[in-house]
Amino acid sequence: MAERECDFAPLVFRLHGGAPQVVREVLLERGWDEYDEEEQEEGDWNLYWRSSGFRKSDYENILPWQRLNHHPKMSQITRKDCLARHMRRMKIAFGTGLYDFSPAAFILPNEYTKFLGVYTRNRMTDRGKSRYWICKPVDLSRGRGIFLFEDIKDLVYDSSAIVQRYISNPLLISGYKFDLRIYVCVKSFSPLVIYMHQEGLVRFATEKYTLASLDSLYSHLTNTSINKFGMCYAMDKERVGRGCKWTMSRFRSFLHKQDINELLLWHRISNIVTLTLLTAVPCIPSSPNCLELLGFDILIDASYKPWLLEVNHSPALTLDCPADVTVKKGLINDIIDLMNYRMVDSFRQKGYCRKRTGRRYLRPNISQGFLLPKILHAPPSGNKSWNQSVSGSSSSEDTRNNTGYATCPVHPNSKSIGHEKDPQKFEEINNELGSDDLKLTTLNSTRKLHRNAPSTVCKLPSLRLHKLKAPAVPWNRVTQDRGVPPCRVGDFILTFPFNQATWKACQDQADVKAIVNEVHKLTNRLVSSFNEKERTKMESSQSIGISDKFEPLLWGPKDPPLLSKCCSLNSEVK
Ligand code: ADP
């Protein structure tokens, strides 16, 4: 069993029935304890993980040491009809050019006549060329209730559904359709902070793609929940292999071998993620200490254009195959790292409050901003600009030990670890917390800390501290100044904000228009740089300054390793 993160005060997780088993597994491996309602007091937990959403009161009563795995109102983008509505609104506001990644969609039954109009017009202009549509129930998932049609006579539905243009020219690998499951973590909506995971899954259909039979779900749908029941699932399929999943690394290795410019593709996908989440920013209330893991389903067409199919709330975390194990265990570890627990969190109410009334804890008298995890939202040191902060926080070094966890040697800047050896540092934390209620100093707890001072290796917090510089100046609670988030946490790459302008534009009331303009500007510059590169056949992207200007937009902070080099031999594409 892996070493405990901290022997003297394990963090505590609480899982709601139906929460994925792998979350429990990873947390136990990291030395966390599971919350026991019978034994433990109300509020005596650090992480509450649910597959479904939380109640309003859960958000209202959240305490400083706690985190929730959902933001409120996420159905704004995870319900198919809401997403379609937002996409349409954004297309009208910012032009179909920028929001061209979302296939046209109609919400039934309300928009049936609208759909009929478009369908009829297409029929007349297409002159015999076929056009296909896909109908999906709005509130189902895992491919349930989905069907394809060409003729409107075949459109039959008995519940609310969306009809979406079917992308009928998907990129195929050896004749098999696939889509990408991209894992995205929204650290906060106000300001908007987005991380994309470097790993992810490629999900294949298990029968060869053909438009001749629209009712063959095994050739048109890429859901694992469907394909694992297909006849060909266990067969060794040409290039694809057995099963129906690849890791993203394997896919990127495949692209490298085909000499495909994957960085541009990732950049486009990252834009899709940002532009999609932007649509929800005005509707999602600011909720500190919450974090959302979303699954973006992206289909790439034969011209390498990525399309957004849907955004999944609570993406499946079941472990069906080796690719799942590789991707999902790492993903959960990285999510936990992004939650950025501090040592004081492990003491929970003992650390933060001294007064109790009955079973209800008094909420500490602190500003909302304080509840934001400290390191991720620490102010930049001195007058550091965006660029300085970003470059200062990136490094190609990797602190992962062979257990797969980040280990944290006592760090000179760290207030979260190491201070157990130094009572002065401990006092500093108390001063920083500011309120009497928050002080950690009961003699007992201090003694306990000293008695159990860990060895030089402590896994709390398991962030890569060399990348995440602790603040050199105290956090300004008056202005609630929050610094630039780290560029990379584990395999999570910061994709938004990506420069000074977007950082400014997403503070307080997000300036969606300014952000959209920035995305637009950078995309154009990036595309022309890549075109230039293609034209002049320059060897290195550095020589045209891409890495300087667009580095955080790319797939990794600095000199991202070619995943083809990281792939193990047996995962190499044949
Ligand atoms: P669900 O939530 O039920 O999984 P999705 O929207 O993800 O619904 O669709 C399921 C699958 O159907 C996708 O993984 C993809 O393979 C296929 N699909 C969905 N929409 C389209 C589309 N517009 N064009 C092509 N294929 C699609």
Side-chain angles (χ1 to χ4, degrees):
M1 181 160 144
E3 209 180 325
R4 274 179 175 266
E5 293 201 14
C6 221
D7 282 338
F8 48 83
L11 291 157
V12 174
F13 65 93
R14 181 179 173 187
L15 295 188
H16 184 250
Q21 182 58 23
V22 63
V23 174
R24 174 178 281 116
E25 240 171 69
V26 167
L27 291 170
L28 290 175
E29 275 170 20
R30 290 174 70 123
W32 287 50
D33 281 351
E34 183 156 8
Y35 178 69
D36 182 341
E37 241 168 78
E38 308 282 299
E39 294 282 312
Q40 275 160 288
E41 296 196 56
E42 192 187 325
D44 199 15
W45 47 266
N46 297 98
L47 166 64
Y48 190 3
W49 188 291
R50 291 176 67 107
S51 294
S52 51
F54 289 97
R55 291 163 304 184
K56 197 164 167 243
S57 58
D58 292 323
Y59 294 109
E60 285 165 358
N61 296 325
I62 191 159
L63 293 159
W65 58 88
Q66 300 178 333
R67 314 279 189 270
L68 303 178
N69 74 318
H70 293 298
H71 285 277
K73 304 211 171 188
M74 286 310 297
S75 59
Q76 289 292 334
I77 47 168
T78 58
R79 254 183 79 110
K80 296 178 176 73
D81 51 345
C82 297
L83 180 65
R85 218 171 275 126
H86 280 306
M87 286 297 153
R88 192 173 312 150
R89 192 171 50 77
M90 295 303 263
K91 278 179 190 172
I92 293 168
F94 299 107
T96 41
L98 200 60
Y99 276 85
D100 67 345
F101 54 82
S102 144
F106 302 87
I107 303 160
L108 303 182
N110 288 356
E111 296 176 356
Y112 181 82
T113 14
K114 211 178 200 172
F115 170 60
L116 183 63
V118 170
Y119 173 87
T120 315
R121 265 199 309 281
N122 283 344
R123 279 255 152 162
M124 289 189 309
T125 52
D126 287 349
R127 297 209 184 106
K129 201 178 124 227
S130 297
R131 202 177 272 248
Y132 303 91
W133 300 91
I134 184 165
C135 181
K136 318 189 240 189
V138 293
D139 49 6
L140 289 184
S141 58
R142 292 180 271 140
R144 287 171 296 176
I146 295 184
F147 62 91
L148 274 64
F149 64 93
E150 190 185 354
D151 192 320
I152 202 165
K153 287 206 295 288
D154 299 324
L155 172 59
V156 184
Y157 58 96
D158 55 10
S159 63
S160 193
I162 67 160
V163 165
Q164 194 175 55
R165 185 162 89 71
Y166 186 65
I167 308 301
S168 56
N169 61 335
L171 185 66
L172 303 176
I173 295 182
S174 295
Y176 294 95
K177 177 177 171 176
F178 64 91
D179 72 359
L180 308 182
R181 165 59 56 88
I182 307 281
Y183 294 102
V184 171
C185 176
V186 186
K187 187 78 187 66
S188 101
F189 272 94
S190 176
L192 183 62
V193 176
I194 308 172
Y195 285 85
M196 261 167 72
H197 206 257
Q198 244 190 326
E199 259 307 352
L201 290 167
V202 181
R203 307 174 315 160
F204 286 90
T206 46
E207 282 179 15
K208 292 214 174 187
Y209 186 74
T210 167
L211 285 166
S213 64
L214 293 185
D215 51 4
S216 164
L217 295 186
Y218 300 123
S219 91
H220 290 282
L221 305 194
T222 51
N223 304 78
T224 309
S225 46
I226 290 187
N227 282 286
K228 67 181 176 193
F229 298 110
M231 300 270 284
C232 307
Y233 177 74
M235 284 180 190
D236 193 2
K237 296 173 283 300
E238 186 191 347
R239 258 185 174 171
V240 172
R242 292 199 169 82
C244 64
K245 275 183 202 166
W246 278 5
T247 61
M248 195 64 77
S249 330
R250 186 170 172 185
F251 177 59
R252 294 180 67 193
S253 161
F254 170 80
L255 293 182
H256 274 292
K257 288 190 173 163
Q258 313 287 311
D259 211 14
I260 289 159
N261 189 341
E262 48 143 348
L263 286 184
L264 190 53
L265 179 65
W266 299 131
H267 172 69
R268 282 176 158 175
I269 294 173
S270 149
N271 271 2
I272 291 179
V273 169
T274 303
L275 292 170
T276 305
L277 287 168
L278 262 187
T279 65
V281 166
C283 331
I284 299 197
S286 167
S287 311
N289 285 22
C290 299
L291 165 153
E292 189 80 44
L293 173 67
L294 295 166
F296 275 67
D297 289 348
I298 303 282
L299 183 85
I300 303 169
D301 73 16
S303 59
Y304 291 96
K305 177 180 160 60
W307 293 88
L308 174 70
L309 299 184
E310 74 153 346
V311 183
N312 290 274
H313 187 256
S314 293
L317 291 175
T318 41
L319 305 182
D320 286 331
C321 60
D324 274 345
V325 179
T326 312
V327 172
K328 292 175 184 176
K329 280 200 140 183
L331 177 73
I332 293 168
N333 268 302
D334 292 341
I335 279 273
I336 305 300
D337 286 348
L338 259 180
M339 290 178 180
N340 195 32
Y341 286 97
R342 293 172 299 143
M343 198 189 69
V344 66
D345 294 322
S346 68
F347 291 96
R348 296 178 289 284
Q349 53 272 51
K350 282 190 224 94
Y352 283 88
C353 323
R354 284 187 307 182
K355 297 175 194 159
R356 280 195 298 163
T357 325
R359 282 180 64 78
R360 280 188 65 81
Y361 298 112
L362 291 181
R363 281 175 72 86
N365 180 21
I366 49 177
S367 61
Q368 281 289 84
F370 178 76
L371 301 182
L372 287 157
K374 196 89 179 203
I375 295 181
L376 293 188
H377 294 277
S381 315
N383 293 326
K384 260 190 178 181
S385 68
W386 166 268
N387 288 337
Q388 284 168 315
S389 305
V390 166
S391 57
S393 65
S394 65
S395 155
S396 55
E397 249 181 88
D398 195 337
T399 53
R400 252 171 210 230
N401 64 12
N402 53 14
T403 64
Y405 300 125
T407 55
C408 300
V410 175
H411 191 278
N413 289 338
S414 168
K415 288 177 181 167
S416 305
I417 58 169
H419 64 265
E420 56 275 13
K421 291 186 170 171
D422 181 350
Q424 207 185 329
K425 276 266 158 61
F426 190 71
E427 195 53 40
E428 268 174 35
I429 291 193
N430 284 337
N431 293 339
E432 212 178 89
L433 295 175
S435 141
D436 265 0
D437 274 344
L438 297 174
K439 288 191 179 178
L440 290 165
T441 48
T442 66
L443 260 180
N444 280 345
S445 64
T446 317
R447 273 202 216 106
K448 200 169 173 207
L449 271 171
H450 285 284
R451 200 173 53 242
N452 295 309
S455 61
T456 47
V457 174
C458 174
K459 288 182 181 168
L460 183 78
S462 38
L463 287 171
R464 283 125 198 247
L465 292 177
H466 66 286
K467 290 173 185 164
L468 312 167
K469 297 237 162 88
V473 288
W475 185 69
N476 186 342
R477 254 186 284 146
V478 180
T479 59
Q480 296 197 6
D481 181 17
R482 280 164 272 163
V484 176
C487 202
R488 176 176 198 148
V489 174
D491 281 339
F492 272 115
I493 310 297
L494 179 74
T495 54
F496 188 88
F498 51 80
N499 62 12
Q500 183 82 41
T502 45
W503 176 238
K504 270 195 180 154
C506 71
Q507 302 295 311
D508 305 320
Q509 285 272 309
D511 184 345
V512 175
K513 198 170 168 193
I515 295 171
V516 167
N517 276 341
E518 282 302 312
V519 172
H520 197 65
K521 253 175 20 196
L522 283 172
T523 305
N524 287 344
R525 283 162 65 192
L526 190 68
V527 169
S528 55
S529 295
F530 273 105
N531 288 344
E532 172 81 358
K533 184 175 167 237
E534 290 289 300
R535 210 160 42 85
T536 56
K537 300 249 184 306
M538 288 176 87
E539 286 296 309
S540 140
S541 62
Q542 250 111 355
S543 58
I544 55 170
I546 286 175
S547 66
D548 295 345
K549 288 181 196 150
F550 305 109
E551 176 239 299
L553 285 175
L554 300 180
W555 201 245
K558 236 178 205 151
D559 51 27
L562 292 184
L563 283 189
S564 52
K565 294 206 176 120
C566 309
C567 285
S568 62
L569 274 179
N570 56 8
S571 66
E572 291 268 315
V573 179
K574 287 178 246 162

